[in-house]
Amino acid sequence: SQQGEEDPQALSIQEGENATMNCSYKTSINNLQWYRQNSGRGLVHLILIRSNEREKHSGRLRVTLDTSKKSSSLLITASRAADTASYFCATDEYSGGGADGLTFGKGTHLIIQP
Amino acid sequence: DGGITQSPKYLFRKEGQNVTLSCEQNLNHDAMYWYRQDPGQGLRLIYYSQIVNDFQKGDIAEGYSVSREKKESFPLTVTSAQKNPTAFYLCASSLEGGQVNYGYTFGSGTRLTVV
């Protein structure tokens, strides 16, 4: 099955700076989602963007989607120490109505330095 | 509060043993999923269920089994046929199966270790 690939694998920035993570995928999708995972915990859903949307905002999060390039980016503005976590993109591959679960990438590990 | 409860948080398995991981949700979600996560890796789908009494194999179903006798429960059994079971197991649910229109709600995970 297809898999999203996040880039970079790891990112370390100073508190207050903006953090940008990218995700690429391989086939047509219905939507793309971003999740956060704190160490040793479950994933938390952040935002869902549909294939007919180009940009979406939620608080300090901004997600873009370029279906022609099969890529998405997650921007976290004014980062805080509590944003330290791994971030995963997940895709729902278009299959004419059926769905067999989201496919996750390997994640970007974000560290916010105080 | 609604959510997903996974138990136990830590589980140790001896070689040749079957073990069962519990997943219960009170969100009235139709669909439930089991994922496996290895260190530094993404999540890989083991099994999923879109409705009660029905479930489908994911990408890595070999050595695992599930049941979905009740809407709120989706237990995962790791059998002795699974040769490398040490991993972090995550259960998730979504409002409905089929095309994914909603985010998933995840449990806090079970860390399984073979001793």
Side-chain angles (χ1 to χ4, degrees):
Chain A
S1 61
Q2 71 142 21
Q3 183 179 46
E5 291 288 339
E6 290 90 345
D7 170 59
Q9 289 188 331
L11 178 62
S12 179
I13 61 173
Q14 295 295 123
E15 194 168 17
E17 294 180 339
N18 296 342
T20 300
M21 289 157 269
N22 302 295
C23 170
S24 60
Y25 57 92
K26 297 175 183 174
T27 64
S28 296
I29 59 172
N30 293 309
N31 62 62
L32 184 144
Q33 303 184 31
W34 285 92
Y35 288 80
R36 184 187 74 226
Q37 183 181 35
N38 290 91
S39 181
R41 307 287 295 175
L43 278 71
V44 175
H45 178 252
L46 295 176
I47 197 163
L48 180 154
I49 186 166
R50 303 188 190 285
S51 59
N52 62 353
E53 297 176 311
R54 291 296 167 258
E55 187 170 313
K56 203 162 183 180
H57 297 254
S58 177
R60 293 184 296 112
L61 305 180
R62 172 179 169 251
V63 169
T64 62
L65 179 64
D66 187 335
T67 53
S68 67
K69 295 181 179 178
K70 293 185 170 57
S71 68
S72 173
S73 67
L74 171 67
L75 168 68
I76 303 174
T77 61
S79 63
R80 304 167 183 171
D83 294 329
T84 294
S86 292
Y87 292 82
F88 295 88
C89 70
T91 52
D92 173 23
E93 182 178 340
Y94 179 75
S95 58
D100 55 1
L102 292 174
T103 302
F104 288 81
K106 294 184 179 181
T108 291
H109 185 52
L110 175 64
I111 297 173
I112 308 300
Q113 308 271 11
Chain B
D1 288 337
I4 294 185
T5 301
Q6 288 188 244
S7 63
K9 190 174 177 66
Y10 299 96
L11 186 57
F12 298 90
R13 193 195 94 166
K14 294 182 180 179
E15 296 281 352
Q17 268 187 343
N18 292 355
V19 291
T20 297
L21 284 59
S22 171
C23 178
E24 303 276 333
Q25 55 101 356
N26 60 3
L27 299 165
N28 201 33
H29 283 177
D30 283 333
M32 297 186 74
Y33 310 85
W34 274 106
Y35 285 90
R36 169 181 171 142
Q37 186 178 30
D38 293 283
Q41 300 295 311
L43 280 64
R44 291 184 290 167
L45 183 63
I46 304 172
Y47 268 99
Y48 65 99
S49 167
Q50 296 190 13
I51 55 172
V52 175
N53 292 322
D54 185 54
F55 49 83
Q56 307 295 329
K57 292 182 179 180
D59 298 321
I60 56 166
E62 185 175 352
Y64 299 97
S65 66
V66 294
S67 63
R68 186 86 187 277
E69 297 176 359
K70 298 186 297 182
K71 187 175 185 177
E72 56 269 24
S73 179
F74 191 40
L76 173 73
T77 296
V78 184
T79 74
S80 57
Q82 171 50 239
K83 297 306 179 189
N84 185 23
T86 295
F88 190 48
Y89 291 87
L90 288 160
C91 180
S93 71
S94 64
L95 186 60
E96 55 189 34
Q99 180 175 318
V100 178
N101 292 311
Y102 306 94
Y104 286 6
T105 300
F106 278 84
S108 56
T110 293
R111 190 167 300 279
L112 174 63
T113 304
V114 174
V115 295

